[in-house]
Amino acid sequence: DSGVLEGDWSGDYTGGTAPTSWVGSVDILRQYHKRGGKPVKYGQCWVFSGVTTTVLRCLGIPGRSVTNFCSAHDTDVSLTTDIYFDENMEPLSSLNSDSIWNFHVWNDCWMARPDLPAGMGGWQAVDATPQETSQGTFCCGPASLTAIRSGLVYLPHDTPFIFAEVNSDKIYWQRRADGTFSQIHAEQKAVGHFISTKAVGRDEREDITELYKFTEGTEEERIAVETACRYGTKPNVYSAPTANDVTIEITLKGEEPRMGENATLTITLSNKSSKPRSTTLHSQMAVMYYTGVTKATVRKDNVPLELMGNEEKTVEWVLPYKDYQDQLLDQAALMLTVTGRVVETGQVLATQHNFRLRTPDLIITVTPPHSPISRHQSQFQSVT
């Protein structure tokens, strides 16, 4: 839409500046002015947000950049993040257009909202990254944080999209023989982690998750989610309960795996029933962009498991370096998807785990002038 910045997520930034190379908004705005209003190449979400912060403050509007980790991208206004599988529990790539970005950055700005009911003024979310169109234009917001928190997605502007970014449930669907889909599993805490901004007056992270949503799992938070979804394209998504006597979890022990080494994850199955349970876990590892979009599947595996009553079992899942060495992208991001069906009950197990490979640490030692021995040492580690 001929804005200040042109977005590019391809990894090839020929003819412009890589998004990671910008260190401030001034150069971007000067270049935009010098070029007569021609978009500057290239930006990604943090660059769009930084420029927006500068422009807001220049106009006298209080503004700040906001980072949301595990940020959902809802493409069909369902207010859920939907994952589709076929009859054999294989992912349906043609339908899996929703995604969860490792992180996404947008802005809060402070303003009155006389167009909304009382109490909706204050911090408003605006997102300058061109993701989806709103009334025919690539724009998003302003959406009241109070409305987002309470699930009042019928209030303007673009509240449903931002609600889904921070508080949508991850719903797994399986195709039946007749071509329709049934809900087989739901994850309620997969989206909207550690929503952050820079603290005022100090170089520290300030957690503002509570401004965007109630504490995960509380009655207030569940009411907000169900209220929002009633206005989405799948208003009956919460009408059917799911079985839950077997749980599955994927974890990484210690630091994230280092690039160039094997990656080991732990899959834990717990049987909450007093009766035995059996299943086969279908797992696949994919390399992905930081936006949550997968590039390629690098490993698949099937593991049969039997659990006695009230038993817990762990499985070490290893990704050899040789499987991913030729597929990595800029952010070195990977995603493990695990699914299965409990034979005795028909309960479906499904979960995903995203992680990044650590790059080598960089240690910089600064020696003060006229000092033979440095007493000042700083260590910079790879950003997670």
Side-chain angles (χ1 to χ4, degrees), residues 257-299:
R258 291 185 180 275
M259 191 181 299
E261 299 178 355
N262 295 347
T264 302
L265 296 89
T266 300
I267 304 172
T268 303
L269 256 70
S270 298
N271 181 10
K272 306 299 182 182
S273 168
S274 59
K275 299 179 180 180
R277 298 285 185 253
S278 57
T279 186
T280 297
L281 296 182
H282 309 282
S283 54
Q284 66 175 40
M285 182 73 78
V287 173
M288 67 177 186
Y289 297 91
Y290 84 90
T291 59
V293 177
T294 58
K295 174 193 176 188
T297 298
V298 295
R299 183 175 176 82

Side-chain angles (χ1 to χ4, degrees), residues 124-166:
Q124 313 290 313
V126 294
D127 192 344
T129 302
Q131 299 179 85
E132 302 287 339
T133 58
S134 176
Q135 299 179 343
T137 302
F138 279 108
C139 63
C140 186
S144 166
L145 265 60
T146 301
I148 295 167
R149 190 172 193 252
S150 301
L152 306 180
V153 296
Y154 49 85
L155 296 175
H157 298 277
D158 306 305
T159 309
F161 186 80
I162 300 175
F163 176 90
E165 286 184 308
V166 301

Side-chain angles (χ1 to χ4, degrees), residues 101-116:
W101 298 28
N102 281 0
F103 66 92
H104 183 46
V105 187
W106 61 78
N107 293 83
D108 285 345
C109 57
W110 188 271
M111 63 179 67
R113 290 299 302 271
D115 58 320
L116 300 183

Side-chain angles (χ1 to χ4, degrees), residues 7 10 27 33 35 38-39 44 102 105 140 154 160 172 177 193 204 206 214 226 262 315 318 338 345 351 356 363 377:
S10 68
D27 289 344
H33 180 263
R35 291 157 58 94
K38 186 177 181 180
Q44 291 183 11
N102 281 0
V105 187
C140 186
Y154 49 85
Y172 295 78
H193 300 165
E204 296 178 5
E206 181 176 340
F214 296 99
E226 294 178 18
N262 295 347
V315 177
V318 179
V338 180
T345 64
T351 190
R356 283 186 55 202
I363 300 176
Q377 187 179 65

Side-chain angles (χ1 to χ4, degrees), residues 51-63 107-109 126:
V51 172
T52 302
T53 299
T54 299
V55 173
L56 285 169
R57 292 176 178 177
C58 285
L59 295 173
I61 301 173
N107 293 83
D108 285 345
C109 57
V126 294

Side-chain angles (χ1 to χ4, degrees), residues 102 256-257 330-334 354-359 383-384:
N102 281 0
E256 292 178 320
D330 290 349
Q331 302 284 338
L334 297 157
N354 302 341
F355 65 99
R356 283 186 55 202
L357 299 173
R358 286 171 54 86
T359 53
V383 179
T384 58

